[in-house]
């Protein structure tokens, strides 16, 4: 059964370019529509991220050791344009008041606004010591919107719509990545971008520092493969280092990139040593290592100098009431039981796919879709891994190095969650908690989004081949993407009806 001759795309360069541009535009359109539908401010710490963006737009770059609170202008905007719909049950607490920006002259509304402003001014800013790249660049974007004369309500969405551009670039880079590293494999070349059209991770619908991780991590690995596979100038090595450094200074959970960098340093050194060209390239490798690591090390050092804490997370951990456990207590954890491991992996997969937004304190999720994400991920990943192991046993590692690196990245990033889950006693924190002491926020490991989808699509293709199903895997992927979008629209109808979103603001 052939609904479309996918091979014709690779034979017509103009058609291929137009097809990929169409995919990018569709993906951007989806992020734009959903980003417009979700009102401010989402339950995934969006007020905190917005406040830090505002601070950076005003020139906040240097830390201080004092406790930071919300910027007064940011607090007023959050109070004025925020909605209760995410975290309040309308059945128990009654109907919500209308958006304050529509009734700003009402006396009761003014009192309510002042009360909310004072509430946010009293909050401790727990994201202020986070890595700076996202906030610095988004702060510049915010400032550009202000210079364009956008009023503060539209300016909020202007900040969020930076995600639209980033997501479009991510889809394009995913295509280039697959085309370069998996030449001739049209299922990967087109399948991964097609899945990204619908990939329902809701972090791209909010102001959130995780937004940059997928593209920066993918760009880093793409550059590493390029300098490994062919001779590149010292400038290319420096650009690779900048990409890695930017990823590390965007999110601390991207730190596994350091191990990926180490693997490539070993591979490149071995390659040039074997052909007698190491002496000509050691300066290149030194530049790569220095540019990749030095900015991150300096940031860690500055944290320790100012805050007495390398990562800048001590205040946040204290505010959440987490406590460090002794090393030997790490292993007294449900993670090391079948039930605990299943819970950890399945919940991580669910949030990795569809995110963590709630509405009326209920997950915006479909049980059927969640189980599809979990089961299909397990099946396709296991199949892909088994085939990779068989190829390695046949000494075909060189041909399958990209596949191996993808698996290593997935393992390392998930490993971060394992360590964080068993390292802390979460005391009376609601998430993670003593009852469920697991980190399962998939957005925090969004740096492996494209490597994960490559493994996923590869496993799907292998399964269809083994089952001798003649339908093209790309046709199946198109159907999956369409069903995901239908599911996401169905479970988000109440969001689109919100009187607080952009559609009701214009």
């Amino acid at each position: 059964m052939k609904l479309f001759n996918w091979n014709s795309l690779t034979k017509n360069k103009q058609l291929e370019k137009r097809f990929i541009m169409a995919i990018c535009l569709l993906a951007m359109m989806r992020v734009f529509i959903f980003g417009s539908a979700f009102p401010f401010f989402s339950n995934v710490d969006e007020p905190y991220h917005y406040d830090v963006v505002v601070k950076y737009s005003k020139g906040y770059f240097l830390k201080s050791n004092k406790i930071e609170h919300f910027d007064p202008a940011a607090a007023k905007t959050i109070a004025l344009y925020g909605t209760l719909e995410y975290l309040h049950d309308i059945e128990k607490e009654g109907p919500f008041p209308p958006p304050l920006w529509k009734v700003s002259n009402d006396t009761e509304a003014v009192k309510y606004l002042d009360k909310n402003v004072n509430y946010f001014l009293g909050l401790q800013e727990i994201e202020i010591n986070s890595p700076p790249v996202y906030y610095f660049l988004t702060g510049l974007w915010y400032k550009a919107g202000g210079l364009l004369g956008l009023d503060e309500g539209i300016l909020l969405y202007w900040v969020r719509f930076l995600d639209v551009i980033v997501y479009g670039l991510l889809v394009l880079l995913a295509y280039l990545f697959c085309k370069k590293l998996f030449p001739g494999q049209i299922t990967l070349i087109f399948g991964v971008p097609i899945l990204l059209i619908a990939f329902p991770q809701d972090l791209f619908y909010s102001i959130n520092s995780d937004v940059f991780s997928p593209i920066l991590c993918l760009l880093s690995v793409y550059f590493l493969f390029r300098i490994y596979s062919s001779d590149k100038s010292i400038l290319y090595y420096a650009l690779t280092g900048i990409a890695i450094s930017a990823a590390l200074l965007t999110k601390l959970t991207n730190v596994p990139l350091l191990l990926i960098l180490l693997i490539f340093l070993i591979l490149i050194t071995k390659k040039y040593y074997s052909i007698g060209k190491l002496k000509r390239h050691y300066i290149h490798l030194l530049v790569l290592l220095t540019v990749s690591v030095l900015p991150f090390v300096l940031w860690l050092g500055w944290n320790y100098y100012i805050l007495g804490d390398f990562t800048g997370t001590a205040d946040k951990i204290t505010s959440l009431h987490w406590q460090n456990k002794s090393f030997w207590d790490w292993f007294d954890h449900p993670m090391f039981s079948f039930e605990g491991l299943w819970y950890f992996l399945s919940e991580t997969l669910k949030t990795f796919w569809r995110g963590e937004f709630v509405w009326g304190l209920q997950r915006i999720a479909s049980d059927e879709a969640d189980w599809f994400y979990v089961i299909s991920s397990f099946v396709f990943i296991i199949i892909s891994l088994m085939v990779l192991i068989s190829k390695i046993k046949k000494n075909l590692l060189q041909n399958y190095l990209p596949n191996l690196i993808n698996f290593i990245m997935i393992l390392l990033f998930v490993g971060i969650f394992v360590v964080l889950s068993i390292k802390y006693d979460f005391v009376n924190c609601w998430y993670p908690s003593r009852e469920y002491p697991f980190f399962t926020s998939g957005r925090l490991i969004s740096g492996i989004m494209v490597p994960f989808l490559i493994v996923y699509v590869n496993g799907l293709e292998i399964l269809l081949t083994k089952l001798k199903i003649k339908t093209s895997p790309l046709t199946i992927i198109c159907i999956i993407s369409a069903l995901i979008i239908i599911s996401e629209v169905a479970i988000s109808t109440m969001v689109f009806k919100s009187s607080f979103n952009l559609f009701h603001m214009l």
Side-chain angles (χ1 to χ4, degrees):
M1 176 182 172
K2 281 193 176 182
L3 299 179
F4 180 78
N5 184 3
W6 294 98
N7 289 309
S8 64
L9 287 175
T10 58
K11 296 174 183 177
N12 187 326
K13 297 301 180 184
Q14 283 299 112
L15 181 61
E16 182 176 350
K17 288 180 181 178
R18 289 172 185 170
F19 184 75
I20 291 301
M21 287 301 105
I23 288 177
C24 292
L25 289 174
L26 286 172
M28 293 170 71
M29 187 183 303
R30 191 258 305 176
V31 174
F32 176 81
I33 292 172
F34 277 86
S36 301
F38 279 95
F40 281 90
F41 286 82
S42 79
N43 57 286
V44 189
D45 295 335
E46 192 171 25
Y48 295 92
H49 294 295
Y50 170 71
D51 176 68
V52 181
V53 168
V54 171
K55 283 183 165 68
Y56 270 72
S57 74
K58 295 179 178 181
Y60 178 93
F61 303 120
L62 300 179
K63 295 177 172 64
S64 65
N65 58 5
K66 64 183 179 68
I67 294 176
E68 286 284 343
H69 294 280
F70 276 55
D71 177 90
K76 183 178 179 181
T77 301
I78 294 167
L80 184 61
Y81 291 94
T83 179
L84 302 173
E85 292 163 299
Y86 289 100
L87 297 175
H88 290 262
D89 189 337
I90 191 169
E91 292 183 3
K92 293 181 180 179
E93 303 187 34
F96 301 111
L100 288 177
W101 76 79
K102 293 184 178 180
V103 292
S104 56
N105 294 325
D106 181 87
T107 303
E108 289 301 315
V110 171
K111 290 181 180 178
Y112 183 70
L113 175 63
D114 289 341
K115 178 183 176 181
N116 280 351
V117 170
N118 289 329
Y119 168 77
F120 284 105
L121 287 174
L123 289 179
Q124 180 180 347
E125 177 49 271
I126 59 174
E127 297 291 344
I128 194 65
N129 295 320
S130 298
V133 166
Y134 170 81
Y135 301 110
F136 174 72
L137 294 176
T138 309
L140 293 177
W141 179 257
Y142 176 89
K143 198 163 187 176
L147 293 174
L148 290 173
L150 302 178
D151 65 46
E152 54 186 3
I154 302 300
L155 188 57
L156 280 173
Y157 282 96
W158 167 266
V159 177
R160 198 184 266 182
F161 289 156
L162 179 59
D163 299 359
V164 176
I165 298 172
V166 171
Y167 198 79
L169 292 174
L170 173 64
V171 176
L172 180 60
L173 181 60
Y175 160 74
L176 295 173
F177 185 89
C178 293
K179 190 173 179 66
K180 187 67 181 178
L181 299 184
F182 304 96
Q185 299 186 41
I186 63 170
T187 299
L188 289 178
I189 293 170
F190 299 117
V192 172
I194 289 171
L195 259 185
L196 283 170
I197 293 175
F199 196 76
Q201 176 53 256
D202 55 31
L203 77 90
F204 292 100
Y205 311 149
S206 71
I207 299 171
N208 190 301
S209 61
D210 298 285
V211 167
F212 284 7
S213 289
I215 191 167
L216 288 175
C217 288
L218 184 62
L219 188 64
S220 299
V221 178
Y222 178 73
F223 281 162
L224 285 170
F225 269 111
R226 294 301 303 273
I227 61 177
Y228 170 67
S229 60
S230 59
D231 285 341
K232 295 293 181 183
S233 68
I234 197 167
L235 177 60
Y236 206 97
Y237 279 74
L239 288 173
T240 306
I242 290 171
I244 295 171
S245 179
L248 295 173
L249 290 173
T250 292
K251 205 72 181 181
L252 284 172
T253 45
N254 293 335
V255 75
L257 273 182
L258 290 174
L259 292 176
I260 301 299
L261 170 63
L262 178 60
I263 291 171
F264 274 95
L265 286 172
I266 293 171
L267 290 173
I268 295 169
T269 300
K270 183 179 178 182
K271 170 188 171 182
Y272 284 122
Y273 178 79
S274 65
I275 59 177
K277 293 185 178 181
L278 182 58
K279 184 177 285 189
R280 289 168 49 189
H281 286 84
Y282 80 92
I283 293 295
H284 294 64
L285 295 173
L286 184 60
V287 167
L288 170 61
L289 181 61
T290 302
V291 178
S292 298
V293 175
L294 184 59
F296 185 60
V297 170
L298 291 175
W299 180 76
L300 294 175
W302 180 253
N303 282 342
Y304 188 78
Y305 175 70
I306 295 295
L307 305 170
D309 166 37
F310 283 111
T311 62
T313 58
D315 286 344
K316 185 174 183 178
I317 290 171
T318 300
S319 70
L320 294 170
H321 306 113
W322 299 350
Q323 295 177 2
N324 279 293
K325 297 194 299 188
S326 68
F327 177 74
W328 298 113
D329 288 336
W330 286 17
F331 305 98
D332 181 21
H333 192 281
M335 181 77 72
F336 302 104
S337 67
F338 176 80
E339 294 83 0
L341 183 61
W342 169 254
Y343 177 86
F344 166 70
L345 292 175
S346 61
E347 290 301 310
T348 300
L349 278 169
K350 291 175 187 177
T351 62
F352 183 81
W353 275 90
R354 49 89 167 139
E356 300 168 75
F357 281 7
V358 300
W359 196 261
L361 281 177
Q362 299 298 315
R363 288 284 187 200
I364 302 176
S366 158
D367 288 340
E368 293 78 10
D370 275 355
W371 283 115
F372 171 77
Y373 300 146
V374 171
I375 294 171
S376 64
S377 296
F378 272 118
V379 171
F380 298 158
I381 288 173
I382 290 171
I383 290 173
S384 186
L385 179 60
M386 290 172 62
V387 170
L388 177 63
I389 291 173
S390 69
K391 299 299 182 183
I392 292 175
K393 286 182 178 178
K394 295 177 182 178
N395 296 318
L396 296 173
L397 176 59
Q398 187 65 29
N399 296 332
Y400 288 86
L401 182 61
N403 303 69
L404 180 60
I405 293 296
N406 286 333
F407 272 106
I408 291 174
M409 286 186 69
I410 293 170
L411 182 64
L412 291 175
F413 274 75
V414 174
I416 289 284
F417 274 6
V418 173
V419 173
L420 291 174
S421 296
I422 67 178
K423 182 179 187 293
Y424 293 107
D425 176 358
F426 299 106
V427 193
N428 59 352
C429 185
W430 72 275
Y431 166 78
S433 64
R434 279 183 171 173
E435 185 179 5
Y436 297 102
F438 302 96
F439 272 86
T440 57
S441 297
R443 62 186 166 81
L444 298 177
I445 54 171
S446 59
I448 57 170
M449 183 178 292
V450 172
F452 171 87
L453 288 180
I454 290 172
V455 171
Y456 183 91
V457 170
N458 184 54
L460 169 61
E461 182 179 30
I462 293 169
L463 178 62
L464 294 177
T465 301
K466 295 290 184 183
L467 295 177
K468 298 182 179 178
I469 294 175
K470 295 182 179 180
T471 303
S472 169
L474 287 170
T475 302
I476 302 296
I477 290 168
C478 287
I479 294 171
I480 290 173
S481 294
L483 291 175
I484 289 174
I485 290 176
I486 292 170
S487 172
E488 288 301 296
V489 170
I491 64 177
S492 304
T493 52
M494 63 288 190
V495 175
F496 281 84
K497 294 177 182 177
S498 172
S499 59
F500 290 80
N501 65 25
L502 180 62
F503 302 132
H504 291 85
M505 189 181 295
L506 296 175

